[in-house]
Amino acid sequence: QISTSYGYPQRDAAKSILQHNLYGIDIDTRAYQLAYFAVMMKARQYDSRFLTRGIQPHIYSIMESNGFDRNLVEYFENGDEKLTKAMDRLVSELHDAKEYGSILNVTNVDFEALYARFEEIRTDASIYQLPAINTLLPFVQIAQIMAQKYDVVVTNPPYRAVSDCCGKLVDYVIQNFPNSK
């Protein structure tokens, strides 16, 4: 409504909001799916052809790097020191990410270089091409969302005592947020 009051058509306003203003992550895959569906249906309310336009909202389920195939990551890095430094940092920081969720502090690495490598991979003929695009691209997108700074953040934190959490989470909270409850 704000956008349309400034003269934007509803269709363009919905597209712009999803592409530039709305970001979401969740540790629960089902919650992510419900949020994705709700956002897409809301956009469709303002643009009847929205679902056929290929616009993907920046809404994700957090991915962990725990099970990544080291050969796949090395293929992606391609011996490039800058890519290796960036990917190794993200893989390290997002280890057990579903355990910690949005309280993780993700470093703002050279995401442009990472995305440039994905463009190179799209034309590559390797057995790692599709796994890199299907696994590592969403991982990098999630990491970028978590590394950004936002004007407004809305959360739904779990309401439980730290003592009810698992050991890894308790240790992380005590180390990184000592003045919080």
Side-chain angles (χ1 to χ4, degrees), residues 103 157-163 165 170 173-174 176-181:
I103 66 170
Y159 297 99
R160 62 181 181 187
V162 173
S163 60
C165 300
V170 170
V173 169
I174 289 171
N176 293 284
F177 304 100
N179 299 325
S180 65
K181 287 202 173 269

Side-chain angles (χ1 to χ4, degrees), residues 77-95:
E77 295 169 348
N78 200 30
D80 185 313
E81 187 177 325
K82 187 190 313 186
L83 294 175
T84 300
K85 182 179 176 184
M87 279 303 288
D88 287 352
R89 169 60 64 82
L90 295 179
V91 167
S92 172
E93 289 178 353
L94 290 169
H95 188 78

Side-chain angles (χ1 to χ4, degrees), residues 2 7 9 21 28 32 36 41-42 63 120 130 132 138 143 147 164 167-168 171:
I2 292 170
N21 301 106
D28 183 348
Y32 144 75
Y36 183 92
M41 291 300 102
K42 191 63 167 176
M63 288 178 70
E120 288 175 16
L130 286 177
D164 293 339
K168 290 179 188 178
D171 293 343

